[in-house]
Amino acid sequence: ILARVSAETDGYATLEPLGAAKVHAVRAARALHTGDQAAAIARYEQAIAAAAAAGDARTIADLHGHVAATWADLGQLDEAEAGLRQALADADRLDLAHIRVWANLNLGSVLTASGRLEEARRAITQALEFGRKQGDQRLEGAAQLYLSTVSFLGGDLRDAEQRARMASEILPAPLQPAALAALARAVLAAVRVKEALQHARLANELLATIGHVEDYESLVRLVL
């Protein structure tokens, strides 16, 4: 489909702004799936510029969150935090609850990586509560997964294990390896090596079957 659009719009050059924003966002998502974060950021920036030309504030708010999360993937935590706080400000201004909750979830991950665990817990808990209220198991499971990491880094292995186990029970298949790896990490730290190895091997087998996990993929390999 993208090839047809490109052929009919002179390499996307003649797309109207609203269409261009959507096309560049899709190209960014594809770049992420191939592991090219730098290309994804460039595509997202193109999408933001096109959305601005179209006056589409909702899309801009959503894209700010995506590009910030991609900066986080690259370890650029200051850029990621700034972008996510911009997305939160946009979401509050426009009253966009869905964008607010995912920005909070990603901000919690960034704050965790920055060592600001209590701030991270507050942000992620907001996302968890929203996910439960909406019956969104993917969101709830992702929040439990992130909270497991917060607890693990804070030394609360029991809570880390409990949250990882809950995440593994409700997350959809593409995120199962991540939850199982977090569970293996907590169990291993509790020196239950045999059980940890079972979880870690299953996580690795699932990763090999799926081929890609959008988050925690390195942990799957590391914990094994």
Side-chain angles (χ1 to χ4, degrees), residues 28-59:
R30 292 190 68 189
L32 281 179
H33 277 283
T34 61
D36 191 346
Q37 282 90 348
I41 287 172
R43 303 292 185 227
Y44 279 134
E45 294 291 357
Q46 288 178 298
I48 289 171
D56 186 349
R58 181 188 181 94
T59 295

Side-chain angles (χ1 to χ4, degrees), residues 5-43:
V5 174
S6 177
E8 294 175 17
T9 59
D10 191 21
Y12 309 116
T14 61
L15 276 168
E16 59 164 326
L18 189 58
K22 294 181 182 298
V23 165
H24 292 315
V26 171
R27 295 174 74 202
R30 292 190 68 189
L32 281 179
H33 277 283
T34 61
D36 191 346
Q37 282 90 348
I41 287 172
R43 303 292 185 227

